[in-house]
Amino acid sequence: MGILNKLDSKVEQFESGNIIITSADKLLNWARLSSMWQMSFGLACCAIEMMATAASHYDLDRFGIIPRPSPRQSDVIIISGTVTLKMATRVKKLYDQMPDPKYVLSMGSCSNCGGPYWEHGYHVLKGVDRIIPVDVYIPGCPPRPEALLEGLIHLQEKIRSQSIAKKVS
Amino acid sequence: MAELKTEEMILNMGPQHPSTHGVLRLELVMNGEIIEDVKPHIGYLHRCFEKHAEAMTYPQVIPYCDRMDYLASISNEFGYAIAVEKLMGIEVPERVEYIRVIMAELQRVASHLVAIGTNGLDIGAFTPFLYCFIDRERILEIFEITCGARLLYNYIWIGGVSRDIPEDFQKKVKDFVKYFRPRIKDLNNLLSYNKIFIDRTANIGVLPPDVAINAGASGPTLRGSGVKFDLRKDDPYSIYDKFDYDIPVGEGEKGTVGDCWDRYMVRVYEMEESLKIIEQAIDNIPEGDVLSAVPKRVRPQEGEIYFRTETPRGELGYYIISDGTVNPKRVKARSPAFCNLSLISQISQGAMIADIVAIIGSLDIVLGEIDR
Ligand code: SF4
């Protein structure tokens, strides 16, 4: 039972029938993290590494991550490359169009902080986190596909620990 | 029946669109399904290359050249390095020339593989894309053992290359050439001579040779129209005149000369020619020290130079002005993809809206180089 293994702890199964009991959080998180549909949205050089990761050698599909061309069908946006000032408003708009829950992965130095264009890039946004909230940062210029995969796994870990209940403060 | 009149409609395509190869926005003026005009809007990836070149020293500019055309980094730094060497009057050792040419040709194959794969992907053929990328991965492996990076190498330095080739380099390259020849045949069976692919690309986006020349097109876009012009032959640089290879041109095999299929097919033929060059060069690499001609301090005397090389996209020129300091006064890049993109309005008028992705794919633009 693959599903049961993935839900791991606190799952109860009854002997007859297909009834299992688990918490709503666990079920939702499991569903979300196993099919993170990514928006196919490339910005610059890092996008080529993203394409290479999605193609045959590194095969992103095995993580349940497939590219979707529309923001309205995607869960994750990978900011793969340099965000220029002209593009920044468009990136923000794309992010706003995505349905909740949505996650942002910042791939490469450029979208983390401006990267090689940090000092003299008069037209480069110094970090995409100035316009949208970022969940996971991946360093590198460009990050290797392995690094991107690790970033995605970190994001899955993050989703695993979410809760729909409001925390009592 | 009287002609039905339709309202003119303006359709925006991009900047986020899977088929615009990056962040390009096209403003399509449509009459029903027919394209009346296309206006490309660029500047979404303007990364201030020229400003950086002014602020950096000569060797520090090389990584920014890499990032201009990120699919063919080696070819970009190649042109820049030769330009600065000419400005300073440096003679590079024979060994360096051979290594550079082999790397540049491998890069050409890798770049064309992406162009071909994404051209197919855009019009719906997913499998060839995966085939192309697995082959490209093999080339990247060779690059990785040589210079440690997969995409942006900073390998070609002014006066040399950053490090010597590893011991098993020659064997790896030979293995690759042997492995890749039959793969081109597979690719042709899968995509090039596929009925659907031909239907989607032949007779579409026809670019007449005179229009191409007037617009300053170069590379496979120009050669697809039947013009035999390649800087490696017509204005030889480095050691390209030592090798025996052909310049393939479009012949209108499946439709009209200069259609999307011709431009596509020129890239396939060019990969074979690149393999030929690699084969001739790989066994003749002379001994030597690759770092012997690298200057300690790059400080050309006052002067200016324009130097052009043939990258996978066409004629890439660097215009460098030196004022005698360690920083260039000005570096201007003449980008081939920019000129090729400027043709899009002329060649897509009268095409259907679905053809525009085939046309963009066949022009093989890289936005990093257009916007710089
Ligand atoms: S981080 Fe490096 S590789 Fe990525 S987009 Fe920026 S310059 Fe290109």
Side-chain angles (χ1 to χ4, degrees):
Chain A
M1 280 289 254
I3 299 179
L4 291 187
N5 292 343
K6 283 205 180 137
L7 285 170
D8 50 57
S9 59
K10 305 241 180 60
V11 174
E12 256 182 76
Q13 189 183 21
F14 294 91
E15 249 176 39
S16 61
N18 293 326
I19 302 170
I20 48 174
I21 296 183
T22 184
S23 70
D25 271 350
K26 287 245 154 65
L27 184 70
L28 282 178
N29 290 347
W30 164 76
R32 278 173 188 165
L33 69 85
S34 349
S35 71
M36 297 195 301
W37 285 4
Q38 150 224 355
M39 191 155 98
S40 69
F41 170 52
L43 277 170
C45 351
C46 282
I48 306 298
E49 283 300 65
M50 188 174 79
M51 264 161 67
T53 319
S56 29
H57 199 75
Y58 292 93
D59 195 10
L60 215 46
D61 286 12
R62 62 202 159 120
F63 296 92
I65 302 166
I66 49 171
R68 304 298 305 173
S70 161
R72 291 171 212 281
Q73 298 169 348
S74 36
D75 309 304
V76 185
I77 178 171
I78 301 181
I79 309 290
S80 56
T82 321
V83 185
T84 58
L85 298 185
K86 190 171 178 181
M87 196 63 202
T89 48
R90 276 72 169 182
V91 171
K92 176 95 174 72
K93 197 170 265 170
L94 285 170
Y95 175 76
D96 289 342
Q97 284 175 348
M98 286 165 62
D100 274 326
K102 50 191 171 187
Y103 306 96
V104 180
L105 216 100
S106 160
M107 178 183 184
S109 321
C110 275
S111 63
N112 291 349
C113 63
Y117 303 96
W118 178 80
E119 200 180 350
H120 302 289
Y122 53 82
H123 190 233
V124 174
L125 187 73
K126 312 293 171 348
V128 76
D129 48 7
R130 297 189 182 200
I131 48 168
I132 53 178
V134 176
D135 289 285
V136 176
Y137 296 88
I138 307 170
C141 179
R144 296 179 57 86
E146 290 92 334
L148 176 59
L149 292 179
E150 193 184 352
L152 287 162
I153 291 168
H154 273 294
L155 184 58
Q156 289 185 329
E157 289 305 320
K158 190 171 175 180
I159 297 174
R160 206 188 291 277
S161 59
Q162 291 184 147
S163 171
I164 46 171
K166 287 245 163 61
K167 282 215 181 77
V168 193
S169 53
Chain B
M1 200 178 87
E3 279 277 304
L4 275 183
K5 203 178 168 313
T6 46
E7 286 275 311
E8 185 179 88
M9 188 174 122
I10 297 200
L11 198 68
N12 263 313
M13 185 172 162
Q16 185 264 331
H17 188 280
S19 302
T20 50
H21 292 225
V23 279
L24 167 69
R25 186 177 136 224
L26 294 176
E27 193 184 318
L28 309 173
V29 183
M30 307 291 305
N31 175 9
E33 281 270 306
I34 310 289
I35 297 170
E36 299 219 309
D37 198 11
V38 184
K39 285 186 205 131
H41 290 253
I42 58 173
Y44 291 97
L45 195 57
H46 174 58
R47 294 194 284 192
C48 332
F49 168 73
E50 288 169 20
K51 174 77 188 160
H52 281 91
E54 283 167 20
M56 306 278 161
T57 62
Y58 283 91
Q60 281 174 341
V61 177
I62 296 177
Y64 292 93
C65 297
D66 278 357
R67 281 155 182 75
M68 257 168 36
D69 179 354
Y70 32 79
L71 282 173
S73 308
I74 294 265
S75 316
N76 280 26
E77 35 189 66
F78 199 3
Y80 177 78
I82 302 183
V84 179
E85 280 156 15
K86 286 251 150 75
L87 203 56
M88 295 178 71
I90 299 176
E91 278 286 317
V92 294
E94 188 93 322
R95 184 178 176 82
V96 172
E97 298 277 26
Y98 271 87
I99 297 175
R100 283 178 177 182
V101 165
I102 293 171
M103 296 295 265
E105 291 309 311
L106 282 174
Q107 181 76 81
R108 192 181 307 273
V109 176
S111 166
H112 282 347
L113 276 173
V114 177
I116 289 165
T118 49
N119 196 350
L121 178 71
D122 287 348
I123 53 182
F126 192 68
T127 319
F129 169 75
L130 299 176
Y131 274 66
C132 288
F133 263 74
I134 204 118
D135 295 345
R136 176 172 176 266
E137 216 49 61
R138 291 205 161 210
I139 303 177
L140 297 192
E141 207 174 283
I142 297 175
F143 284 151
E144 206 176 332
I145 59 164
T146 316
C147 44
R150 277 170 51 89
L151 195 67
L152 307 167
Y153 312 100
N154 190 10
Y155 181 60
I156 297 184
W157 283 1
I158 294 159
V161 290
S162 70
R163 65 204 71 197
D164 208 347
I165 49 174
E167 247 163 48
D168 53 351
F169 178 81
Q170 269 139 314
K171 188 180 164 297
K172 283 237 157 95
V173 173
K174 275 186 213 158
D175 283 352
F176 171 75
V177 173
K178 211 161 119 210
Y179 156 87
F180 191 58
R181 277 249 161 75
R183 297 284 287 190
I184 297 182
K185 276 210 191 80
D186 287 352
L187 183 69
N188 281 339
N189 291 338
L190 254 180
L191 188 62
S192 317
Y193 296 111
N194 182 321
K195 175 87 173 62
I196 305 171
F197 184 72
I198 293 174
D199 280 353
R200 284 295 308 270
T201 52
N203 289 324
I204 304 283
V206 178
L207 172 63
D210 52 329
V211 177
I213 292 170
N214 285 346
S218 51
T221 307
L222 177 68
R223 292 193 284 276
S225 301
V227 183
K228 210 172 190 144
F229 180 77
D230 188 316
L231 288 173
R232 289 174 295 169
K233 273 256 199 268
D234 291 301
D235 186 8
Y237 53 96
S238 192
I239 48 164
Y240 274 110
D241 46 0
K242 285 193 183 167
F243 305 113
D244 176 31
Y245 57 98
D246 292 327
I247 306 294
V249 291
E251 277 154 6
E253 215 177 304
K254 298 288 168 198
T256 328
V257 176
D259 57 7
C260 289
W261 194 84
D262 271 352
R263 282 195 287 277
Y264 161 90
M265 207 56 199
V266 163
R267 297 203 174 89
V268 178
Y269 291 141
E270 255 179 35
M271 292 201 296
E272 282 174 31
E273 300 304 321
S274 291
L275 292 187
K276 271 191 211 162
I277 300 180
I278 295 169
E279 256 178 349
Q280 290 167 45
I282 194 73
D283 279 326
N284 300 325
I285 305 180
E287 290 300 311
D289 180 9
V290 292
L291 290 170
S292 61
V294 176
K296 288 243 156 48
R297 187 133 180 253
V298 185
R299 192 170 182 175
Q301 68 282 54
E302 258 177 67
E304 56 181 60
I305 190 167
Y306 177 76
F307 194 80
R308 50 187 193 165
T309 52
E310 183 80 23
T311 72
R313 267 156 212 84
E315 175 185 333
L316 173 74
Y318 285 101
Y319 177 56
I320 304 176
I321 303 181
S322 156
D323 55 0
T325 58
V326 287
N327 302 335
K329 184 147 186 271
R330 177 115 164 77
V331 178
K332 158 103 177 82
R334 184 253 185 226
S335 138
F338 180 81
C339 297
N340 294 350
L341 177 68
S342 69
L343 281 163
I344 194 165
S345 137
Q346 291 175 57
I347 62 178
S348 46
Q349 278 166 15
M352 305 283 277
I353 185 166
D355 296 334
I356 190 88
V357 289
I359 293 173
I360 300 175
S362 75
L363 288 177
D364 185 25
I365 50 173
V366 166
L367 265 297
E369 198 191 47
I370 292 175
D371 294 338
R372 274 162 279 151

